[in-house]
Amino acid sequence: MDPRNNLPSLSEISPSLLSFLSDNFQNRGDLLKAPDLVPELQKQCSDLDHNLNDLNHKLEKSIVSFASHSEQLGSLFNVINLKLNHLQSSEFLSGSSTGGEEDSGRVKHILGEELPALVKEVARVETVRSYAETALKFDTLVGDIEDAVSSTMTRNLRKSPPGTSSEETRLLAIKSLKLTEDILISVAKSRPQWRRLVHAVDHRVDRALAVLRPQAIADHRSLLASLGWPPTLSNSKSVNIGKSSAVLNPLFTMHGDLKNQYCENFLALCGLHELQSRRKSRQLEGHYHEVAMRHPLWAIEELVNPISLASEHHFKKWVEKPEFIFALVYKITRDFVDSMDELLQPLVDEARLVGYSCREEWISAMVTSLLMYLAKDVFPVYIGQLDADNVNGVPSQAKFSIMHLADLMISFDKRVQTLVADSGVLNSSRDDESFRRISTMSIFCDRPDWLELWAEIELGDTLRKVRLEMGDERNWKNKVQGALLVSGSESYKSPAIAAATLRHLSAMIDRCRPLPSISLRARFIRLACAPLLREFLDCLLQKCQEAEGLTALADDDGLIKVTNSVNAARYCESVMKDWCDDLFFLEMTLDQGDEAIIGVDEDTSGLGGGIFNEEIGMFEEFRKDWTEKISTVVLRGFDARCREYMKNKKQWQEKEEGWNVSKLFVGALDYLQGKISKLEEGLNEIDFVVAWRSLATGVDHLVFNGVLMSKAKFYNGGVERFGGDLDVLFGVFRAWCLRPEGFFPKVSEGLKLLKMKEDQLKVGTEGIERWLKEKQIRHLGVPEAERIVKNRIFKS
């Protein structure tokens, strides 16, 4: 008999069997391999039978569990039916009765006690039914998940050929996991009392994920290796050259089944990532919820990790040449960033991972790998060299290495941020987690002691430069020129050293701007910038004290030194006030309660008005003190020249012909006018106004007490002489104000009393206070007015 007659027809053969036959029997030579396929097919059948037995066993357990739940529910419903029947019969009896008291009490008992109890029982039964249904649904879903995980594990152990990939099984498991998570979220919100059920399901799901995720990652790594990842870094020797050949990108060269497998595996990892994010968000609800909202993308990390391992071979040779390290990392980041947008971003969007950009994740992962290497192998080496140099007392080259490393980090961060910006996504918040993840300066977030060391080195280097400029006398003589740091600063007449100091200060502030935390920037400023301002203020104070000690500010040279220092203080104060209005510094003011600021071993009570509030207050106090000292010195010289004038009391009883002005007083006024002119020439406009007004107040009190409050008797001629003297005094100050009499209230009102007629003064002796108000004399007290009136003699 022809054996072909025993074969089934082609239409009776299943598609899977046809596929199997076509794959294994493509020519006559394959028939010789048929005996070898028999053991393998038998083993597969045995595995399938084993899996089928397991599934039958689980199904049997589920049916038994469901049957027990059904019996419980049946018994509960029987109880409910009995109670409902009892209630119906009670209502019938109550309706047929004649309305006796006993029947009325029975009805009240049913409505008041039995009916609410029945409602509670029905609600309890409904809850039990819902709980049983939910538990059974969870058991079925988790069972499907565990079966899929087991199937995937079995296929991996058998090392099945490429044609029998387990990606479909894994994707089904992920789909079941997501459905389970949806139900868990709903239960957690609507039934918070079922937390034990949720915890039990979470426990079983975690065990499944503990198997599923490592398998997916292992498969992903195997696929990357088959793609030729990581790419060769052999051309890394030219990283310091501006133009270098681009690295061949294996992601663009993959095609066919290999590309499909990679995409499926990538989607599986993204699905697991999205699932894990949702689970963490639910589990941490109300407790550090922000921790669950952002995790690095696993699939991108798997691309970066092998590159990091391959790069370390080159990095170890470049510890003393960190610019090569930064150049290589930037080159790799830039060369592969386009593939993230074109190839992987559509897969992330398909996986519905909201808020994830493959470009940013790739850049962030590369920056993180660089950051870890710097923290592990570069910074410790430099700090060790610094400690060794400090012990030996030798000038440290490590300080310059650390500053150079900081320069490289700042430059690298700027270029990396440009790569991120090229995606078209604007980073609206400077201080959020995403900014930290693309900044190498975030190394100081975990190591604030390194930030303090960097700030100390920056301060030392800047102080060295500033002290050199402070030692150049030309910087104290020349005024601020060129581009001005504050509008209208030419009126401050500040020496060039003030602008130079603020220029160095601004450079230091610019170096801390890339720090990814407001508290870190504020800490750097308190550690590095504030001491520079105090150093400059100490220099100004020393200059003034030297001038005061040598000549007591009696000569013009000493006065010029002090006015220069006051001008410099005014200039610095104005510039820092303008700075504090900038958003960069306003953020620090709003964040003044941060622990990083409070941790600085300095008084931070002045932070309420700005980061430089304390230093501004110190400059303001210095300026006011020395402006007052200038006024005091000039007033003291005026007093010395007026002494003979005030001692001569007879002059107020005499009348001279001709120019009725005291010559001694004119000489003192000449000295006063000369000093005020010098102050006008050397002092800034704002402090000059304060100075001459202070002098006017001092002269007013001095002349009032020395002349009007003395025992001198004023005759008519003396009143005319005193009026002439005051006219000259007012004329001196008329160059700086339109109505100088207003700045000499006591002597002006004293002269007004002296010029009154005798009958006017007699009328004023009764009710003196009211009389003074009527005469608009507001700055003299009653005793002072009475004394002036008493010394007025009405004789020719």
Side-chain angles (χ1 to χ4, degrees), residues 94-106:
S94 63
S96 61
S97 64
T98 57
E101 294 182 0
E102 182 179 353
D103 294 336
S104 176
R106 179 60 179 162

Side-chain angles (χ1 to χ4, degrees), residues 64 87 143 183 195 208 217 246 349 376 396 423 425 482 508 591 607 636 687 693 715 743 750-751 796:
V64 171
L87 177 62
I183 300 175
R195 57 183 179 276
I217 290 178
D349 296 338
K376 182 182 67 172
S396 176
S423 65
V425 179
M508 269 206 300
D591 197 57
L607 288 175
R636 190 183 301 126
D687 289 310
R693 288 185 177 182
Y715 288 74
F743 296 97
L751 180 62
S796 57

Side-chain angles (χ1 to χ4, degrees), residues 652-792:
W652 313 120
Q653 303 174 16
E654 302 172 353
K655 181 178 180 181
E656 294 184 0
E657 299 295 335
W659 190 34
N660 197 18
V661 178
S662 303
K663 296 180 180 179
L664 293 175
F665 190 63
V666 171
L669 291 177
D670 182 63
Y671 162 82
L672 182 64
Q673 185 178 27
K675 288 295 183 181
I676 296 177
S677 298
K678 279 290 181 183
L679 290 179
E680 183 182 21
E681 179 182 350
L683 204 58
N684 66 83
E685 294 179 1
I686 301 175
D687 289 310
F688 169 70
V689 171
V690 174
W692 75 254
R693 288 185 177 182
S694 176
L695 282 173
T697 302
V699 171
D700 182 45
H701 285 278
L702 188 65
V703 174
F704 179 78
N705 292 323
V707 177
L708 295 179
M709 290 293 101
S710 65
K711 296 180 181 180
K713 304 296 182 180
F714 281 86
Y715 288 74
N716 293 337
V719 172
E720 293 179 8
R721 176 189 292 272
F722 186 64
D725 292 344
L726 292 186
D727 286 340
V728 178
L729 173 63
F730 297 155
V732 170
F733 285 87
R734 191 165 282 112
W736 302 291
C737 59
L738 295 176
R739 187 177 173 276
E741 295 86 352
F743 296 97
F744 299 89
K746 284 187 171 291
V747 294
S748 297
E749 292 181 355
L751 180 62
K752 185 177 181 180
L753 284 177
L754 293 177
K755 288 184 175 181
M756 287 184 183
K757 297 180 180 180
E758 186 175 3
D759 56 348
Q760 291 177 315
L761 294 177
K762 289 180 179 179
V763 173
T765 56
E766 297 180 359
I768 185 67
E769 293 183 4
R770 182 178 179 183
W771 180 80
L772 289 175
K773 290 182 179 180
E774 291 177 354
K775 299 299 181 181
Q776 297 184 350
I777 297 176
R778 302 182 181 88
H779 298 86
L780 297 182
V782 173
E784 294 172 336
E786 289 178 344
R787 191 167 183 176
I788 293 174
V789 172
K790 182 179 178 181
N791 291 332
R792 178 68 169 95

Side-chain angles (χ1 to χ4, degrees), residues 393-459:
V394 180
S396 176
Q397 180 64 29
K399 290 184 178 179
F400 298 102
S401 299
I402 292 176
M403 292 180 63
H404 178 54
L405 182 60
D407 290 336
L408 292 173
M409 294 168 67
I410 293 171
S411 175
F412 178 82
D413 287 351
K414 289 181 179 178
R415 294 200 293 171
V416 162
Q417 290 166 23
T418 302
L419 286 180
V420 174
D422 288 343
S423 65
V425 179
L426 296 179
N427 192 0
S428 60
S429 177
R430 267 195 57 103
D431 200 42
D432 61 359
E433 185 64 23
S434 61
F435 183 78
R436 296 185 185 184
R437 291 169 60 240
I438 61 171
S439 171
T440 57
M441 302 293 282
S442 59
I443 193 173
F444 297 116
C445 295
D446 298 325
R447 294 302 301 264
D449 55 325
W450 291 355
L451 176 71
E452 294 177 6
L453 180 63
W454 177 41
E456 180 183 348
I457 294 173
E458 290 286 348
L459 174 62

Side-chain angles (χ1 to χ4, degrees), residues 6 55 121 162 271 312 449 501 570 621 691 784:
N6 296 328
L55 291 174
E121 185 67 18
E312 285 192 12
D449 55 325
T501 302
R570 166 66 73 176
E621 183 179 0
E784 294 172 336

